[in-house]
Amino acid sequence: MASPVTVSVDAMGGDNAPNVVIEGTRLALEADPDLRVLLCGSEEVIAPLCQDTDRCIAVPTTQVISMAEHPAEAVRKKKDSSIVRGCTLVREGEAQGFFSAGSTGACLTAATLIMGRAKGVKRPALGVIIPAYDRPVFLMDVGANADCKADYLAQFAQMGTIYMQSVLGVDAPRVGLLNIGEEDTKGSSFALEAYAALKAHVPGFAGNCEGGDLVAGAFDVVVTDGFTGNICLKTIEGTSKLIFKHLKGALTSSLSAKMGALLVKGSLSELKAELDPDRYGGSPLLGVKGTCIVGHGSSNAQAIKNGILAGCAQVREGVSQKVAEAFAPLKPAAEGE
């Protein structure tokens, strides 16, 4: 029997909210009998699901943070928004984790300001699992920190190592620095400084990771600044969609192609499922006091379900506590560092 976990869920976040969030939450509750959800959102939206099960508790809110709003301003002004309330529930100990497919910027801001940074963590970072060829790869940062210092990347690597060991069961994760060449003399001055920091402070550091190595699964954890990481992630996602679009076009271009497609339909379905980012459901924000999973804005119900369950797994494996313990001996970062 798994340990009970309580997750606060933003019912109003995402391109297809609230319907897909409600359905995804229902699927998560069905999949995990030890899950309890605090569902944050408009009362008329969340009431039906909360009436159906005593494991889903309604947390009525009156405000919504839209994708177009300035994250910091919205978090400050909209105290009764589903994102702010969800993070507040974690800070107050009512929930152990928070999930949202809403504004990524607002989620990152609320989690950092309300849940708070773990002591010793200079910058919380957003990671994502990439279904690479040989094995899953954890890439971070993918958007939380556009500007970084070299020692930030060393911390990203340490947090990513803890995540891969705890959640995916990788005993000794190989860590790589995303760079333009394998040699330790390659890259910008920032890359060279980051290389030195990783070599000095990360036991699992295995050198530079070129773009092709990332998707080949040559490393378990790959670190970079959030600006580069976000572009890299979006490029991979766009390329994957393009390939499947062209593949579909080729397999429906003629009668013989359609007949051939029937023969490989099962294999293609398996391949699509293997590469589907919805399989993992969301990106963990590591370095905050508690679990925070940020889903893709276009998440469907299955992705919402998987994101909530990913939060449960992270809570049960004690990832945030392990991160806090790893950095506790360090001097807390100075304000604005």
Side-chain angles (χ1 to χ4, degrees):
M1 180 178 177
S3 58
V5 174
T6 299
V7 176
S8 58
V9 174
D10 169 19
M12 313 306 290
D15 300 340
N16 304 306
N19 293 342
V20 297
V21 181
I22 300 300
E23 177 61 14
T25 301
R26 183 186 65 77
L27 292 173
L29 288 165
E30 289 178 355
D32 188 341
D34 297 301
L35 166 65
R36 179 172 172 263
V37 169
L38 302 181
L39 194 57
C40 306
S42 175
E43 188 166 13
E44 61 269 21
V45 167
I46 63 177
L49 179 59
C50 296
Q51 290 169 356
D52 287 344
T53 172
D54 59 2
R55 290 192 293 122
C56 187
I57 311 301
V59 181
T61 60
T62 59
Q63 296 173 307
V64 176
I65 296 177
S66 71
M67 298 288 192
E69 291 185 78
H70 187 281
E73 291 181 3
V75 168
R76 285 197 300 268
K77 293 179 180 178
K78 294 188 172 181
K79 302 296 186 183
D80 199 40
S81 64
S82 48
I83 289 177
V84 171
R85 290 288 300 279
C87 288
T88 301
L89 289 167
V90 177
R91 184 191 66 192
E92 295 178 345
E94 297 294 323
Q96 296 149 289
F98 169 67
F99 172 83
S100 174
S103 165
T104 298
C107 290
L108 300 183
T109 301
T112 303
L113 295 180
I114 297 172
M115 293 166 60
R117 282 186 295 176
K119 286 186 177 180
V121 172
K122 297 183 178 182
R123 288 289 188 277
L126 195 64
V128 66
I129 297 176
I130 295 175
Y133 177 75
D134 188 49
R135 55 191 174 189
V137 176
F138 193 58
L139 174 66
M140 64 187 304
D141 183 23
V142 293
N145 305 278
D147 297 304
C148 287
K149 296 180 180 180
D151 55 344
Y152 296 177
L153 267 62
Q155 287 200 343
F156 297 169
Q158 292 168 302
M159 292 190 289
T161 295
I162 290 171
Y163 182 88
M164 289 298 282
Q165 289 174 327
S166 302
V167 178
L168 291 189
V170 180
D171 290 333
R174 283 171 51 86
V175 177
L177 169 66
L178 192 62
N179 207 339
I180 60 173
E182 294 182 359
E183 300 85 356
D184 58 7
T185 55
K186 288 290 184 71
S188 63
S189 57
F190 169 70
L192 294 174
E193 190 178 350
Y195 188 101
L198 287 160
K199 187 175 181 179
H201 300 292
V202 181
F205 182 54
N208 286 328
C209 171
E210 294 187 271
D213 295 330
L214 176 63
V215 294
F219 297 87
D220 300 295
V221 178
V222 175
V223 296
T224 186
D225 61 275
F227 182 86
T228 304
N230 189 268
I231 292 175
C232 182
L233 174 63
K234 297 294 176 59
T235 300
I236 292 172
E237 291 176 343
T239 302
S240 177
K241 290 178 182 178
L242 177 65
I243 290 173
F244 275 103
K245 184 177 180 179
H246 281 299
L247 185 60
K248 181 178 180 180
L251 293 174
T252 57
S253 61
S254 65
L255 179 59
S256 59
K258 291 178 182 178
M259 294 176 64
L262 289 175
L263 297 177
V264 297
K265 182 178 180 181
S267 297
L268 288 176
S269 296
E270 291 178 7
L271 175 62
K272 185 175 182 181
E274 184 72 21
L275 298 178
D276 190 352
D278 290 346
R279 176 183 178 188
Y280 298 102
S283 301
L285 178 67
L286 302 181
V288 293
K289 297 177 182 177
T291 293
C292 177
I293 305 290
V294 183
H296 201 289
S298 61
S299 294
N300 57 26
Q302 191 67 26
I304 298 294
K305 167 198 165 185
N306 291 339
I308 295 172
L309 295 181
C312 291
Q314 193 170 319
V315 169
R316 289 186 176 120
E317 294 299 331
V319 173
S320 61
Q321 292 92 329
K322 291 175 182 176
V323 168
E325 290 169 3
F327 293 104
L330 302 180
K331 180 182 178 181
E335 192 69 28
E337 186 175 55

